Amino acid sequence: MHHRTAPPSRARRRAAAVLGLALAATAVASTATAGPPRSAPDLGPNVVVFSPSTPVAEIQAKVDAIHAQQVDAEMGTARYSLLFLPGEYGSAEQPLQLKVGYYTEVAGLGASPTDVTVHGKIETYNRCLSSDPANPNCLALVNFWRTLSNLTLDIEAAGQDGCRASANFWAVSQAVSLRRLNVLAGEGDPGFSLMDYCTAGPQYASGGFIADSRFGDVVNGSQQQWLTRNSEVRSWSFTAQQAVDYGLADRVVTTLKDVPAAA
């Protein structure tokens, strides 16, 4: 026996038509109220986002101005984030050479450290705390509160003098970190120094942290109380005489690859 499907009633057809019109109206209204695409959010004046299209000279000037404000601001209240969108910054001919002061974060915004490459330097130097030329008291013992993370650093020293060109200097002590860094340095290239040996003495430095990173040659020098974990380092250098001169102690190094014993 064949059953014939009854045609939809007039009321059901009318209800379906009304529902269709309502859905269409909702879609039109949604499109009308969406408005233009949203602009970039306002992150405030102390969060600075750079893109690869930003001229190197403009980035350099902006970061130099922030460093000039923060280099001695140990008890200051300003905080800065310097953020780099994926891409490349600087070059061998025009390196981007940045200095990092108090309460300053420098970070790449890529998913991987290799998504952002800075051709140049990112550094912290000793502070000379005395105006006495005979005893300027240059050291890093109070270089606190700064971080560097999630980028590739291709060390380029063009334009710097002989001593400054010999390494990327990160002379710090406590409340500092280097995370997810990929530091490019072939044999014979400038290394990465955890002390600043270019100023007058005593050049002391005391404490910091490296994690999930890859380095070439690291100069320990006067640095003490340093923790490094889950990282690859081609060489880590300090001598027995430096241990005597600077009273080196409390270095903890875990899961490092290919690190020769101290001389």
Side-chain angles (χ1 to χ4, degrees):
M1 180 181 294
H2 298 284
H3 296 279
R4 181 181 298 174
T5 303
S9 67
R10 182 178 299 175
R12 290 172 61 189
R13 290 198 301 269
R14 185 183 300 115
V18 170
L19 177 60
L21 289 173
L23 291 174
T26 300
V28 170
S30 176
T31 302
T33 58
R38 290 186 298 175
S39 60
D42 181 3
L43 301 176
N46 290 13
V47 177
V48 185
V49 181
F50 299 110
S51 76
S53 63
T54 310
V56 172
E58 182 178 327
I59 299 174
Q60 188 74 62
K62 180 66 174 180
V63 178
D64 284 351
I66 292 172
H67 176 258
Q69 175 184 318
Q70 297 300 109
V71 62
D72 294 316
E74 183 176 351
M75 301 301 174
T77 58
R79 308 290 187 266
Y80 284 93
S81 288
L82 309 180
L83 308 178
F84 291 80
L85 293 170
E88 300 204 12
Y89 298 82
S91 64
E93 297 74 24
Q94 189 182 14
L96 185 59
Q97 297 171 342
L98 310 179
K99 297 182 183 67
V100 183
Y102 283 100
Y103 309 109
T104 302
E105 168 194 28
V106 179
L109 295 179
S112 165
T114 57
D115 290 341
V116 173
T117 298
V118 173
H119 302 280
K121 288 183 158 192
I122 304 175
E123 300 186 290
T124 294
Y125 295 160
N126 288 337
R127 293 171 65 210
C128 297
L129 304 180
S130 171
S131 58
D132 180 1
N135 182 26
N137 195 27
C138 299
L139 42 72
L141 292 180
V142 289
N143 281 356
F144 309 140
W145 305 309
R146 63 205 75 193
T147 68
L148 173 58
S149 65
N150 200 44
L151 54 78
T152 292
L153 178 60
D154 178 19
I155 300 175
E156 296 287 355
Q160 293 188 325
D161 64 30
C163 186
R164 286 293 177 214
S166 65
N168 188 99
F169 294 95
W170 188 255
V172 294
S173 294
Q174 313 298 330
V176 293
S177 64
L178 301 167
R179 298 174 184 268
R180 289 172 54 81
L181 291 184
N182 179 38
V183 180
L184 303 180
E187 295 284 353
D189 288 345
F192 197 98
S193 181
L194 302 179
M195 72 170 290
D196 179 357
Y197 48 75
C198 293
T199 69
Q203 303 176 347
Y204 296 139
S206 184
F209 180 70
I210 292 173
D212 307 314
S213 297
R214 181 182 295 121
F215 284 82
D217 300 320
V218 174
V219 176
N220 185 96
S222 64
Q223 189 59 251
Q224 58 180 328
Q225 302 182 66
W226 193 277
L227 172 63
T228 301
R229 67 164 175 79
N230 300 346
S231 297
E232 296 181 18
V233 178
R234 183 170 58 229
S235 71
W236 187 285
S237 66
F238 63 92
T239 66
Q241 186 58 49
Q242 285 175 326
V244 173
D245 292 343
Y246 298 116
L248 302 185
D250 303 327
R251 287 174 308 281
V252 178
V253 181
T254 67
T255 60
L256 286 175
K257 297 182 180 180
D258 303 322
V259 180

